[in-house]
Amino acid sequence: MSAPWWDSDWKDRSGPEYRCFVGNLPYGTSESSLKDAFSSYAPLYSEIAVDPETGRSRGFGWVQFEDQKSMDNAIQGMNGQQVGGRSVTVSQANHRPRRWRA
C-alpha cells in the first residue's frame, strides 16, 4: 500500500488551481466577507491568513475560482478596488507544493 508522500507521481494527480492572492486586506476581514467581495466572479471559497499566536488576520488571503476565465476577470475587476476601506492588490497566486510533516 502506498501513501501520497511515497508515490512519485502523486503531485501530478491534482488538477490546476485557479487561486488569486489578495493583499492589503483590513485586519477585520473574515473569509465570508472576502468571498462576498468577490461574489460577482463566482468564487468557490476564500481563505484568510491568520497569525497562529494571536489568531488575528495577517492582512492577506486567497480566493479560489472554478476556471481560468473567472480568475482573470476577478484579477482585472478587483485589483485596486476598495474592500473594507482599503485598496486591495489582486494577482494570480503562486502554486506551492504541499509539504508533508512527520
Side-chain angles (χ1 to χ4, degrees):
M1 183 167 163
S2 68
W5 51 88
W6 295 321
D7 194 353
S8 63
D9 69 341
W10 183 80
K11 64 183 174 197
D12 298 326
R13 292 182 186 171
S14 62
E17 281 191 342
Y18 304 110
R19 286 171 51 117
C20 289
F21 171 81
V22 184
N24 200 34
L25 288 170
Y27 294 112
T29 304
S30 67
E31 290 181 356
S32 61
S33 64
L34 179 58
K35 187 176 178 181
D36 290 345
F38 283 82
S39 63
S40 59
Y41 304 102
L44 296 176
Y45 68 88
S46 64
E47 296 176 83
I48 298 287
V50 176
D51 185 312
E53 292 181 14
T54 64
R56 287 188 50 197
S57 167
R58 294 181 62 197
F60 62 92
W62 298 270
V63 180
Q64 174 87 28
F65 296 93
E66 187 171 349
D67 56 17
Q68 182 77 38
K69 183 178 179 184
S70 297
M71 181 185 71
D72 291 340
N73 289 340
I75 292 170
Q76 289 179 347
M78 291 297 292
N79 191 32
Q81 297 299 314
Q82 296 284 319
V83 173
R86 296 183 77 173
S87 178
V88 297
T89 59
V90 183
S91 61
Q92 185 170 357
N94 295 330
H95 178 71
R96 291 183 61 177
R98 294 182 186 265
R99 294 193 286 174
W100 295 99
R101 298 181 184 174

